[in-house]
Amino acid sequence: MIKKIIFLGAPGVGKGTLAKTLSKKENLEHISTGDIFRYNIKNNTLLGKEVKSILAAGNFVSDDLTNKIVKNTIINKEGYILDGYPRTINQAKFLLDLVDIDDVILLDATDQVVIERLTLRSEKEGRTDDTPEIISKRLEVYNKQTKPLIDFFKSKGILRKISVVGSREDNFKKLMDILK
Ligand code: ADP
């Protein structure tokens, strides 16, 4: 499969897990802006230094910086999964001016489920932004800044929705049915 796919959904909804599975199965590059930022923070690069406190607070990195990084990452690539980008209307417009996106997959779950998953992840992975306060901050920022993207992509006719209530296997099957 050669497609340009966006995964949209609240923090903790399982975008990363599903994107990784799809990426392996279909040999599509998995591009996670969150992973890019964390990698740079871990390696103490200039970018890492710039974004460290932003991630720690649960805020968004600026559109300009994020757009620049994504542009450099996707340039000349045919197929990929964007996980965690775009997250604002400005980012979405920037991206659609740059490339043709085939599918936008909205992973849908209730706030309750999302909070449970994030709490579980914090125990397993120890991500510093998975503390109760920062989790609720990230959900707040998601609701304000990213949710409007649902209607934005709906109006473009490329939004598909998956309820991620079931097992990973079920969710992956639903995803493959949509992408066929
Ligand atoms: P989650 O989906 O659990 O919030 P991510 O790994 O996608 O985790 O993102 C972690 C953090 O990285 C975000 O809280 C934000 O600070 C930053 N980030 C990731 N993607 C973007 C983006 N597209 N625009 C701005 N900030 C971003």
Side-chain angles (χ1 to χ4, degrees):
M1 176 190 303
I2 301 177
K3 278 187 164 203
K4 298 181 177 72
I5 301 166
I6 293 172
F7 275 16
L8 192 63
V13 80
K15 296 186 297 290
T17 308
L18 212 54
K20 266 180 212 132
T21 312
L22 179 65
S23 146
K24 271 193 206 128
K25 181 107 188 260
E26 293 294 331
N27 207 14
L28 283 170
E29 186 169 347
H30 173 207
I31 300 169
S32 156
T33 39
D35 284 351
I36 294 173
F37 293 138
R38 277 185 293 276
Y39 175 86
N40 279 276
I41 291 170
K42 200 171 141 209
N43 290 288
N44 212 18
T45 66
L46 264 179
L47 171 64
K49 283 181 196 148
E50 194 171 339
V51 302
K52 188 173 180 178
S53 62
I54 301 175
L55 266 82
N59 289 316
F60 282 175
V61 175
S62 76
D63 287 337
D64 276 354
L65 184 55
T66 309
N67 285 338
K68 214 188 298 166
I69 290 164
V70 171
K71 186 178 176 182
N72 288 334
T73 310
I74 64 176
I75 201 153
N76 295 329
K77 287 180 186 157
E78 298 276 321
Y80 43 79
I81 307 155
L82 289 169
D83 161 14
Y85 178 93
R87 258 173 148 105
T88 65
I89 293 280
N90 275 337
Q91 292 179 11
K93 287 184 175 159
F94 176 85
L95 179 69
L96 294 192
D97 278 345
L98 207 63
V99 291
D100 287 326
I101 295 294
D102 296 292
D103 302 276
V104 181
I105 311 289
L106 171 66
L107 306 187
D108 202 34
T110 60
D111 275 8
Q112 182 68 33
V113 168
V114 162
I115 291 170
E116 277 168 23
R117 288 194 186 167
L118 284 172
T119 309
L120 205 73
R121 184 170 80 188
S122 72
E123 287 158 14
K124 272 202 227 144
E125 295 178 16
R127 247 175 72 171
T128 48
D129 59 349
D130 278 345
T131 62
E133 281 142 51
I134 304 298
I135 286 173
S136 72
K137 173 72 187 174
R138 279 158 58 219
L139 281 173
E140 185 193 313
V141 176
Y142 171 79
N143 284 325
K144 216 185 278 165
Q145 306 245 54
T146 310
K147 262 202 180 152
L149 294 189
I150 296 174
D151 280 338
F152 175 83
F153 286 123
K154 236 187 229 165
S155 73
K156 308 261 172 212
I158 48 175
L159 187 90
R160 316 297 302 272
K161 188 163 111 177
I162 297 178
S163 282
V164 285
V165 281
S167 65
R168 282 182 185 181
E169 290 75 22
D170 283 351
N171 296 334
F172 189 67
K173 208 166 154 284
K174 283 189 221 165
L175 174 68
M176 291 311 282
D177 281 345
I178 283 183
L179 292 176
K180 249 189 255 158

